[in-house]
Amino acid sequence: MQHSFSEYLICRNNYLDNPQRVIELSSRQTYRKAEYYPGRRTENLLNLQDPDTKQFSVDFADRLGYDVFPGIRNYSMSLFFHINEAANDPVLDQGWVHKDVSVLAGMVYLTLGENNFESGTSIFTGEGVETTENKKVWNDYNLTGIATEEYVSLVKYNHSQFKETIKVGNMFNRLVAYDSKLYHKPNRYSTAVGSPRLSLLFFISQFDYSN
């Protein structure tokens, strides 16, 4: 699907005006695992009733429409805090190369003190297999954290099918946003500061555009 932000990638440092407040908001949320993503994630922040969280979410969503994706309007968006814990196995200490089902996506890195080229996000080219044919293997690992030999083999195969072309380092309060149909993956979950990899994720599933 071609759109006004096809092949788009933007990186902005010091994005949030008050990142400490946002970290405090993240600590008040409930996180859960699900079969379709690794790590732990909140509910969509835009649907929560807590006034502070709701106000932050609305303000953040509005801001994306004028200084990250200028010209978009009437957009449907989801916003989450997300935590990835480090894994001892280097194969498991990173994500799959994949595309998102949304149209646009991105994140703000929120691990306090982190400034690490290896724990950010990479963009890839390739036409390989992005997920397992047997979704159950992938889903079971996301839910349990127990890696079977088949899962490890499939992760290695997935990584072998793509070529890294852009690497964005994980710097505290850095925003990276992109066309969701660019192949990408989270790099190392282990951080230089030793804390979990915390991020604020956003996905925009549809939008109107006017320049």
Side-chain angles (χ1 to χ4, degrees):
M1 170 185 170
Q2 293 295 310
H3 53 77
S4 303
F5 297 97
S6 293
E7 306 295 322
Y8 183 92
L9 175 70
I10 184 173
C11 182
R12 292 270 301 276
N13 291 342
N14 300 312
Y15 186 73
L16 299 172
D17 295 330
N18 190 348
Q20 293 285 359
R21 172 176 172 265
V22 180
I23 291 175
E24 193 277 328
L25 281 177
S26 75
S27 70
R28 290 160 40 186
Q29 309 303 320
T30 299
Y31 295 77
R32 67 181 184 90
K33 290 188 173 185
E35 62 183 18
Y36 54 93
Y37 56 75
R40 295 179 290 126
R41 185 176 294 180
T42 63
E43 299 295 327
N44 184 354
L45 301 178
L46 287 160
N47 293 337
L48 299 183
Q49 298 306 309
D50 172 65
D52 290 341
T53 303
K54 186 75 171 181
Q55 188 61 57
F56 162 73
S57 302
V58 171
D59 291 346
F60 182 87
D62 287 345
R63 183 176 174 184
L64 289 181
Y66 63 80
D67 71 357
V68 176
F69 301 112
I72 68 170
R73 54 188 176 82
N74 302 325
Y75 44 100
S76 178
M77 177 177 155
S78 300
L79 183 66
F80 310 90
F81 289 117
H82 191 100
I83 294 174
N84 291 106
E85 304 282 353
N88 292 327
D89 186 329
V91 175
L92 304 178
D93 194 38
Q94 57 186 310
W96 289 75
V97 181
H98 66 285
K99 297 178 180 179
D100 296 322
V101 296
S102 59
V103 182
L104 303 170
M107 71 196 72
V108 180
Y109 301 118
L110 289 175
T111 303
L112 187 63
E114 183 75 349
N115 186 0
N116 182 2
F117 199 55
E118 302 303 325
S119 62
T121 304
S122 285
I123 304 297
F124 296 81
T125 58
E127 296 298 331
V129 178
E130 60 172 286
T131 56
T132 66
E133 291 184 7
N134 182 357
K135 280 282 198 178
K136 189 174 186 302
V137 176
W138 184 37
N139 296 346
D140 286 351
Y141 177 75
N142 287 340
L143 287 172
T144 68
I146 300 172
T148 62
E149 290 185 7
E150 182 180 6
Y151 179 82
V152 173
S153 176
L154 287 167
V155 172
K156 291 179 179 178
Y157 179 71
N158 167 264
H159 292 170
S160 73
Q161 299 302 294
F162 300 91
K163 180 179 180 180
E164 184 181 52
T165 57
I166 300 172
K167 193 171 188 176
V168 179
N170 181 339
M171 178 184 289
F172 176 64
N173 200 20
R174 167 179 283 172
L175 174 141
V176 56
Y178 42 82
D179 174 0
S180 296
K181 297 305 179 275
L182 292 173
Y183 280 115
H184 60 280
K185 80 172 177 71
N187 293 325
R188 274 197 339 219
Y189 297 139
S190 55
T191 63
V193 295
S195 303
R197 186 181 189 268
L198 174 64
S199 57
L200 177 68
L201 300 181
F202 56 88
F203 301 94
I204 296 175
S205 57
Q206 61 184 24
F207 62 89
D208 296 327
Y209 176 79
S210 61
N211 55 21

